[in-house]
Amino acid sequence: MSKFKKIILVLVLITLGNQCILFAQENPEDIAIVNDEIEDNFYEALKQRAIENYDKAIISIEKCILKVKDNPVFYHELGKNLLHLKKYPEAEKPFKKQLN
């Protein structure tokens, strides 16, 4: 066996040995569950709007707005839900806040 083949064999064995260490699974106790209430409410609003339940979507978006008042995405979603309910004068207010 030539010297070159021995070097390649050693490198392959080292590489395969390191993969077992690199791809080890984390312990479930070390993984923390993040409780993000704003994100949950936002996705709930999107889900409710998708199934055309606009009243519940508005309630979920308003919960998001109570926590974070300066996010224009929340106002945009609120305006879209109000438009679907054909509440045009009420829908105008969130769209104006979104632009500011």
Side-chain angles (χ1 to χ4, degrees):
M1 193 185 272
S2 70
K3 189 173 186 178
F4 180 72
K5 287 183 181 180
K6 288 181 184 178
I7 293 174
I8 296 295
L9 179 65
V10 170
L11 289 175
V12 168
L13 290 175
I14 290 173
T15 304
L16 292 175
N18 285 340
Q19 287 181 353
C20 295
I21 296 170
L22 294 176
F23 296 117
Q25 184 178 3
E26 289 186 39
N27 291 331
E29 297 85 25
D30 295 341
I31 301 171
I33 297 174
V34 178
N35 186 9
D36 192 0
E37 199 172 320
I38 297 170
E39 185 176 304
D40 293 341
N41 285 327
F42 182 71
Y43 286 123
E44 180 66 25
L46 293 179
K47 182 177 82 172
Q48 293 299 330
R49 187 175 60 116
I51 60 174
E52 298 180 359
N53 196 351
Y54 304 115
D55 293 326
K56 287 186 179 180
I58 289 171
I59 292 169
S60 295
I61 287 291
E62 286 175 344
K63 288 179 186 176
C64 294
I65 291 174
L66 287 175
K67 300 227 183 234
V68 180
K69 296 195 185 295
D70 60 343
N71 193 336
V73 176
F74 297 153
Y75 291 108
H76 181 73
E77 286 297 321
L78 180 61
K80 287 196 305 188
N81 287 307
L82 289 168
L83 278 177
H84 285 293
L85 290 175
K86 295 185 170 66
K87 297 181 178 180
Y88 302 117
E90 293 177 30
E92 185 179 6
K93 294 174 188 174
F95 284 128
K96 285 185 177 180
K97 283 188 180 181
Q98 171 200 355
L99 293 175
N100 293 336

